[in-house]
Amino acid sequence: MSIEYTGITREGLSKQIADAIRTAIIDGRLMVDERLPSETELAERFGVSRPTVREALKRLAAQNLIRTQRGPTGGAFVNRLTWSEAHDALVTTATLLIGMNDIPFEEAIEARFALEAACLPFAVERRTEAQLETLRREIEQQQRGSMTDEGFCASDLRFHRVLVDAADNPVLSFQMAGVIEAMQPLMNMLTYRMRDRTRIARLHASLADALQARVTQSALAALKELGDYTLDLARARREG
Amino acid sequence: MSIEYTGITREGLSKQIADAIRTAIIDGRLMVDERLPSETELAERFGVSRPTVREALKRLAAQNLIRTQRGPTGGAFVNRLTWSEAHDALVTTATLLIGMNDIPFEEAIEARFALEAACLPFAVERRTEAQLETLRREIEQQQRGSMTDEGFCASDLRFHRVLVDAADNPVLSFQMAGVIEAMQPLMNMLTYRMRDRTRIARLHASLADALQARVTQSALAALKELGDYTLDLARARREG
DNA sequence: AAACATTATTTTGTCTGACATTTATTGGAT
DNA sequence: ATCCAATAAATGTCAGACAAAATAATGTTT
């Protein structure tokens, strides 16, 4: 690891060190599962104390870039970023972003249904029987009137997640997770009347039918109607 | 013996503290710009030492969740997550994810063009004259033969970023940044011959024309051709 | 000789205490 | 009243020490 640190001391030593190591990882100078020098060695090499090095390492650990292990064979290792970890990070970021910047409902809903529509053709083509069954199960739950609003939204979320996963493209699933899951708090703010729920469940059923028959046009039409209806609900909430 | 902490003490004190504070922020118990207790006070409240608290705070700072300021009125403040910061975080995560998990070209390209197509109808409807001009400028650059491969890819990236921004939906722009920018290293691996470049530039011109005339179908057709062609290049590279 | 228990060692995790640095406030001098 | 310096409060950094964990080496027992 050949890292120079001729930078300015104006931005915090631990941050500089963290950035140096992160850049080394992104550029590929540090490979996955490679072991970094021990904390004391890093401290010597950068000319700082061990706590400073540790703060830098914690920053990287917070981004899932490294993992640490104790013991003689321990140390800090470059972490292979898994889909699951990246997923969590994206959802956290997107949730905070939406929660802190009061996005208009319309924008968020527009983005979500537009992107979901992009997944739909692949889902129609590649959906499995198991995924169809999961969709049917969720629809059945949504038709029961005994659910709370949160429960209904949670089922809705699971439904759409299966829809996206049916496209069988990890990159798509990863990207979509951000929009869909981060919007759950927003969706929870919509209070669904009984009539709304039955209509939504019926549209979900249309979607599942289209997927089963592998007819892209019908699926897109059902999703569009669902998006428009959600928009209506959001607008009604704003005015009401 | 002191009181047990709720949860497993097996996961590192600083991580537990960081998680506790992060949850408080996400749940809204800590508002934006609110000041956290001082490090010494946090240390007392959690029953740990100051360095441990500091490591926890650094983890949160690494996620742009808090910012710190020195001085009497200083301390740690809940940070308003900006689009720019969230954008950078997403690009970093997506870049690492793609770089470390050797995604098949086909999957990445499929996802990218599918999502971009989802933005296109909005872009056709909402594009401004200034954006059209930017597109034309990039096309002109791409037609010049004097560019390096990296320069060509960079121009391509700028072209598509403008395309996405033309949809005028921050949520869409945010999501798309991940796919498009994180794929640049992949795209840089494609070596474009002169013939490829002219064809790509021509397709870009078709796209710009369709945006100018506000004809969605033509724009979608041009983008689809571009996607298919990129797929061909990727396949050729794999076999060559 | 082989299996098991024990000790040693290396590395991270945490604590204590101190000093340096930054910055708003406050009090005094002009 | 204005400007400037001392003050205080907070983070940033450092040093040394000990605790805890996990592997490797060692010794003991069967």
Side-chain angles (χ1 to χ4, degrees), chain A residues 28 31 49 51 77 89 92 104 122 125 150 154 198:
Chain A
M31 300 302 289
S49 71
F77 296 85
T92 302
F122 302 113
E125 190 180 340
E150 284 75 17
T198 51

Side-chain angles (χ1 to χ4, degrees), chain B residues 12-14 47-52 70-73:
Chain B
L13 282 175
S14 67
V48 299
S49 70
R50 204 179 137 222
T52 304
R70 293 206 269 203
T73 63

Side-chain angles (χ1 to χ4, degrees), chain A residues 2-22:
Chain A
S2 58
I3 295 174
E4 305 180 10
Y5 78 107
T6 59
I8 327 102
T9 56
R10 189 69 188 171
E11 214 189 4
L13 281 174
S14 68
K15 185 164 173 50
Q16 290 177 53
I17 294 172
D19 289 342
I21 299 177
R22 176 172 32 245

Side-chain angles (χ1 to χ4, degrees), chain A residues 11-20 48 51-57 59-60, chain B residues 54 58:
Chain A
E11 214 189 4
L13 281 174
S14 68
K15 185 164 173 50
Q16 290 177 53
I17 294 172
D19 289 342
V48 298
T52 304
V53 167
R54 280 184 61 76
E55 287 188 359
L57 293 180
R59 297 179 108 109
L60 299 175
Chain B
R54 281 185 60 77
K58 289 311 161 198

